[in-house]
Short mmCIF file of all heavy atoms in Angstrom, two decimals:
data_model
loop_
_atom_site.label_atom_id
_atom_site.label_comp_id
_atom_site.label_asym_id
_atom_site.label_seq_id
_atom_site.Cartn_x
_atom_site.Cartn_y
_atom_site.Cartn_z
N VAL Q 1627 57.10 109.58 57.80
CA VAL Q 1627 57.12 109.36 56.38
C VAL Q 1627 56.33 110.39 55.67
O VAL Q 1627 56.72 110.87 54.55
CB VAL Q 1627 56.58 107.91 56.16
CG1 VAL Q 1627 56.47 107.66 54.62
CG2 VAL Q 1627 57.47 106.87 56.84
N LEU Q 1628 55.07 110.63 56.09
CA LEU Q 1628 54.17 111.60 55.40
C LEU Q 1628 54.79 113.02 55.36
O LEU Q 1628 54.70 113.66 54.20
CB LEU Q 1628 52.85 111.67 55.91
CG LEU Q 1628 52.05 110.25 55.78
CD1 LEU Q 1628 50.64 110.46 56.39
CD2 LEU Q 1628 51.99 109.88 54.35
N GLN Q 1629 55.41 113.46 56.44
CA GLN Q 1629 55.92 114.82 56.40
C GLN Q 1629 57.15 114.99 55.51
O GLN Q 1629 57.46 116.10 55.11
CB GLN Q 1629 56.19 115.33 57.83
CG GLN Q 1629 57.45 114.65 58.40
CD GLN Q 1629 57.61 115.13 59.86
OE1 GLN Q 1629 56.68 115.21 60.60
NE2 GLN Q 1629 58.82 115.37 60.28
N ASN Q 1630 57.85 113.93 55.31
CA ASN Q 1630 59.07 113.86 54.44
C ASN Q 1630 58.75 113.54 53.10
O ASN Q 1630 59.55 113.79 52.16
CB ASN Q 1630 60.13 113.05 55.07
CG ASN Q 1630 60.81 113.59 56.27
OD1 ASN Q 1630 61.72 114.47 56.26
ND2 ASN Q 1630 60.35 113.06 57.44
N MET Q 1631 57.60 112.91 52.77
CA MET Q 1631 57.29 112.46 51.40
C MET Q 1631 55.85 112.88 51.14
O MET Q 1631 54.94 112.07 51.00
CB MET Q 1631 57.54 110.90 51.35
CG MET Q 1631 58.93 110.41 51.70
SD MET Q 1631 58.96 108.65 51.73
CE MET Q 1631 58.90 108.25 49.95
N MET Q 1632 55.68 114.16 50.95
CA MET Q 1632 54.45 114.63 50.71
C MET Q 1632 53.71 114.13 49.40
O MET Q 1632 52.52 114.27 49.26
CB MET Q 1632 54.46 116.25 50.79
CG MET Q 1632 55.01 116.82 52.02
SD MET Q 1632 53.99 116.38 53.40
CE MET Q 1632 52.54 117.27 53.05
N GLN Q 1633 54.57 113.68 48.52
CA GLN Q 1633 54.01 113.25 47.21
C GLN Q 1633 53.38 111.89 47.19
O GLN Q 1633 52.78 111.48 46.24
CB GLN Q 1633 55.06 113.30 46.08
CG GLN Q 1633 56.12 112.12 46.17
CD GLN Q 1633 57.19 112.32 47.22
OE1 GLN Q 1633 57.06 113.16 48.10
NE2 GLN Q 1633 58.14 111.48 47.20
N LEU Q 1634 53.51 111.18 48.38
CA LEU Q 1634 52.97 109.81 48.37
C LEU Q 1634 51.40 109.74 48.29
O LEU Q 1634 50.74 110.68 48.82
CB LEU Q 1634 53.38 109.19 49.75
CG LEU Q 1634 54.78 108.60 49.83
CD1 LEU Q 1634 54.90 107.89 51.24
CD2 LEU Q 1634 55.09 107.82 48.77
N ARG Q 1635 50.97 108.73 47.63
CA ARG Q 1635 49.46 108.45 47.53
C ARG Q 1635 49.10 107.20 48.38
O ARG Q 1635 47.94 107.16 48.79
CB ARG Q 1635 49.09 108.35 46.11
CG ARG Q 1635 49.28 109.58 45.25
CD ARG Q 1635 48.75 109.35 43.82
NE ARG Q 1635 49.07 110.52 43.01
CZ ARG Q 1635 48.75 110.59 41.65
NH1 ARG Q 1635 48.34 109.49 41.13
NH2 ARG Q 1635 49.02 111.61 41.00
N GLN Q 1636 50.04 106.30 48.40
CA GLN Q 1636 49.75 105.03 49.10
C GLN Q 1636 50.99 104.76 50.10
O GLN Q 1636 52.12 104.93 49.65
CB GLN Q 1636 49.50 103.91 48.20
CG GLN Q 1636 48.24 103.86 47.56
CD GLN Q 1636 47.88 102.65 46.88
OE1 GLN Q 1636 46.69 102.25 46.67
NE2 GLN Q 1636 48.88 101.75 46.64
N LEU Q 1637 50.61 104.35 51.32
CA LEU Q 1637 51.67 103.85 52.24
C LEU Q 1637 51.26 102.54 52.81
O LEU Q 1637 50.11 102.39 53.31
CB LEU Q 1637 51.85 104.89 53.37
CG LEU Q 1637 52.84 104.49 54.46
CD1 LEU Q 1637 54.12 104.28 53.90
CD2 LEU Q 1637 52.82 105.53 55.59
N ASP Q 1638 52.11 101.52 52.53
CA ASP Q 1638 51.81 100.13 53.08
C ASP Q 1638 50.49 99.67 52.49
O ASP Q 1638 49.64 99.09 53.09
CB ASP Q 1638 51.73 100.07 54.57
CG ASP Q 1638 53.11 100.38 55.17
OD1 ASP Q 1638 54.16 100.08 54.55
OD2 ASP Q 1638 53.14 100.80 56.30
N MET Q 1639 50.32 99.93 51.15
CA MET Q 1639 49.18 99.45 50.32
C MET Q 1639 47.92 100.11 50.81
O MET Q 1639 46.74 99.61 50.44
CB MET Q 1639 49.12 97.97 50.42
CG MET Q 1639 50.28 97.25 49.87
SD MET Q 1639 50.96 97.76 48.36
CE MET Q 1639 49.68 97.33 47.23
N LYS Q 1640 47.98 101.20 51.52
CA LYS Q 1640 46.63 101.85 51.98
C LYS Q 1640 46.78 103.35 51.45
O LYS Q 1640 47.83 104.05 51.56
CB LYS Q 1640 46.59 101.89 53.53
CG LYS Q 1640 46.39 100.48 54.06
CD LYS Q 1640 46.33 100.61 55.66
CE LYS Q 1640 46.24 99.17 56.11
NZ LYS Q 1640 46.16 99.29 57.65
N ARG Q 1641 45.63 103.81 50.89
CA ARG Q 1641 45.56 105.15 50.37
C ARG Q 1641 45.69 106.19 51.54
O ARG Q 1641 45.10 106.01 52.58
CB ARG Q 1641 44.23 105.37 49.57
CG ARG Q 1641 44.19 106.69 48.88
CD ARG Q 1641 43.06 106.74 47.87
NE ARG Q 1641 43.32 105.85 46.80
CZ ARG Q 1641 44.16 106.19 45.74
NH1 ARG Q 1641 44.71 107.31 45.64
NH2 ARG Q 1641 44.32 105.36 44.80
N ILE Q 1642 46.44 107.24 51.25
CA ILE Q 1642 46.65 108.23 52.31
C ILE Q 1642 45.53 109.30 52.17
O ILE Q 1642 45.15 109.82 51.09
CB ILE Q 1642 47.94 108.98 52.10
CG1 ILE Q 1642 49.04 107.95 52.15
CG2 ILE Q 1642 48.16 110.14 53.08
CD1 ILE Q 1642 50.44 108.48 51.77
N THR Q 1643 44.82 109.59 53.35
CA THR Q 1643 43.74 110.59 53.40
C THR Q 1643 44.21 111.97 53.65
O THR Q 1643 45.33 112.15 54.05
CB THR Q 1643 42.77 110.19 54.43
OG1 THR Q 1643 43.35 110.25 55.72
CG2 THR Q 1643 42.26 108.69 54.19
N GLU Q 1644 43.38 112.88 53.39
CA GLU Q 1644 43.62 114.33 53.60
C GLU Q 1644 43.92 114.65 55.13
O GLU Q 1644 44.67 115.45 55.51
CB GLU Q 1644 42.65 115.26 52.96
CG GLU Q 1644 42.66 115.25 51.42
CD GLU Q 1644 44.00 115.77 50.85
OE1 GLU Q 1644 44.62 116.66 51.41
OE2 GLU Q 1644 44.43 115.15 49.87
N GLU Q 1645 43.13 113.84 55.88
CA GLU Q 1645 43.19 114.10 57.31
C GLU Q 1645 44.52 113.63 57.82
O GLU Q 1645 45.22 114.30 58.69
CB GLU Q 1645 42.11 113.33 58.03
CG GLU Q 1645 42.12 113.43 59.52
CD GLU Q 1645 41.89 114.85 60.13
OE1 GLU Q 1645 41.42 115.65 59.35
OE2 GLU Q 1645 42.24 115.11 61.19
N GLU Q 1646 44.96 112.50 57.25
CA GLU Q 1646 46.39 112.05 57.66
C GLU Q 1646 47.42 113.02 57.17
O GLU Q 1646 48.45 113.23 57.91
CB GLU Q 1646 46.60 110.77 56.99
CG GLU Q 1646 45.72 109.56 57.61
CD GLU Q 1646 45.88 108.26 56.88
OE1 GLU Q 1646 46.20 108.33 55.67
OE2 GLU Q 1646 45.73 107.22 57.49
N ARG Q 1647 47.29 113.67 56.07
CA ARG Q 1647 48.27 114.55 55.53
C ARG Q 1647 48.24 115.80 56.51
O ARG Q 1647 49.30 116.47 56.85
CB ARG Q 1647 47.89 115.09 54.14
CG ARG Q 1647 48.18 113.96 53.14
CD ARG Q 1647 47.97 114.53 51.69
NE ARG Q 1647 47.99 113.45 50.66
CZ ARG Q 1647 49.09 112.90 50.15
NH1 ARG Q 1647 50.29 113.34 50.59
NH2 ARG Q 1647 48.94 111.98 49.28
N ARG Q 1648 47.07 116.29 56.87
CA ARG Q 1648 46.94 117.37 57.78
C ARG Q 1648 47.58 117.16 59.06
O ARG Q 1648 48.34 118.01 59.63
CB ARG Q 1648 45.51 117.75 57.99
CG ARG Q 1648 45.29 119.15 58.64
CD ARG Q 1648 43.82 119.37 59.08
NE ARG Q 1648 43.37 118.41 59.99
CZ ARG Q 1648 43.45 118.46 61.26
NH1 ARG Q 1648 44.22 119.48 61.78
NH2 ARG Q 1648 43.04 117.62 62.08
N MET Q 1649 47.33 115.99 59.64
CA MET Q 1649 47.91 115.65 60.96
C MET Q 1649 49.48 115.61 60.76
O MET Q 1649 50.17 115.98 61.65
CB MET Q 1649 47.47 114.28 61.43
CG MET Q 1649 46.00 114.40 61.95
SD MET Q 1649 45.72 115.47 63.40
CE MET Q 1649 46.76 114.65 64.57
N ALA Q 1650 49.93 115.05 59.70
CA ALA Q 1650 51.34 114.91 59.55
C ALA Q 1650 52.02 116.30 59.36
O ALA Q 1650 53.16 116.63 59.79
CB ALA Q 1650 51.58 114.11 58.26
N SER Q 1651 51.24 117.21 58.81
CA SER Q 1651 51.78 118.58 58.63
C SER Q 1651 51.89 119.30 60.03
O SER Q 1651 52.89 119.92 60.25
CB SER Q 1651 50.82 119.42 57.75
OG SER Q 1651 51.29 120.75 57.64
N VAL Q 1652 50.88 119.06 60.81
CA VAL Q 1652 50.91 119.68 62.20
C VAL Q 1652 51.99 119.16 62.99
O VAL Q 1652 52.82 119.81 63.62
CB VAL Q 1652 49.60 119.40 62.86
CG1 VAL Q 1652 49.63 119.75 64.33
CG2 VAL Q 1652 48.45 120.07 62.16
N LEU Q 1653 52.13 117.80 62.95
CA LEU Q 1653 53.20 117.17 63.67
C LEU Q 1653 54.62 117.48 63.07
O LEU Q 1653 55.58 117.64 63.87
CB LEU Q 1653 53.11 115.60 63.63
CG LEU Q 1653 51.92 115.11 64.38
CD1 LEU Q 1653 51.67 113.56 64.10
CD2 LEU Q 1653 52.00 115.26 65.89
N ALA Q 1654 54.62 117.83 61.78
CA ALA Q 1654 55.87 118.25 61.15
C ALA Q 1654 56.36 119.60 61.71
O ALA Q 1654 57.52 119.84 61.94
CB ALA Q 1654 55.73 118.33 59.64
N LYS Q 1655 55.36 120.47 61.94
CA LYS Q 1655 55.73 121.81 62.49
C LYS Q 1655 56.28 121.66 63.89
O LYS Q 1655 57.29 122.33 64.29
CB LYS Q 1655 54.48 122.70 62.52
CG LYS Q 1655 54.04 123.15 61.10
CD LYS Q 1655 52.82 124.06 61.18
CE LYS Q 1655 52.39 124.39 59.70
NZ LYS Q 1655 51.19 125.29 59.78
N LYS Q 1656 55.64 120.79 64.70
CA LYS Q 1656 56.06 120.52 66.06
C LYS Q 1656 57.45 119.98 66.07
O LYS Q 1656 58.29 120.26 66.85
CB LYS Q 1656 55.12 119.66 66.76
CG LYS Q 1656 53.80 120.27 67.08
CD LYS Q 1656 52.82 119.31 67.88
CE LYS Q 1656 51.58 120.01 68.16
NZ LYS Q 1656 50.71 119.07 68.98
N GLU Q 1657 57.63 119.05 65.09
CA GLU Q 1657 58.96 118.34 65.04
C GLU Q 1657 59.99 119.35 64.63
O GLU Q 1657 61.19 119.34 65.12
CB GLU Q 1657 58.78 117.24 63.94
CG GLU Q 1657 59.45 115.97 64.12
CD GLU Q 1657 59.62 115.34 65.44
OE1 GLU Q 1657 58.55 115.09 66.10
OE2 GLU Q 1657 60.75 115.11 65.79
#
Side-chain angles (χ1 to χ4, degrees):
V1627 173
L1628 293 181
Q1629 76 184 39
N1630 286 280
M1631 305 176 67
M1632 300 299 294
Q1633 77 280 10
L1634 281 185
R1635 296 180 181 178
Q1636 284 193 159
L1637 176 61
D1638 296 333
M1639 306 306 295
K1640 296 180 181 178
R1641 184 168 294 279
I1642 299 170
T1643 65
E1644 289 301 320
E1645 178 64 18
E1646 289 174 332
R1647 292 186 189 277
R1648 188 187 66 80
M1649 289 298 298
S1651 178
V1652 172
L1653 293 173
K1655 291 180 180 179
K1656 293 182 179 179
E1657 219 35 64

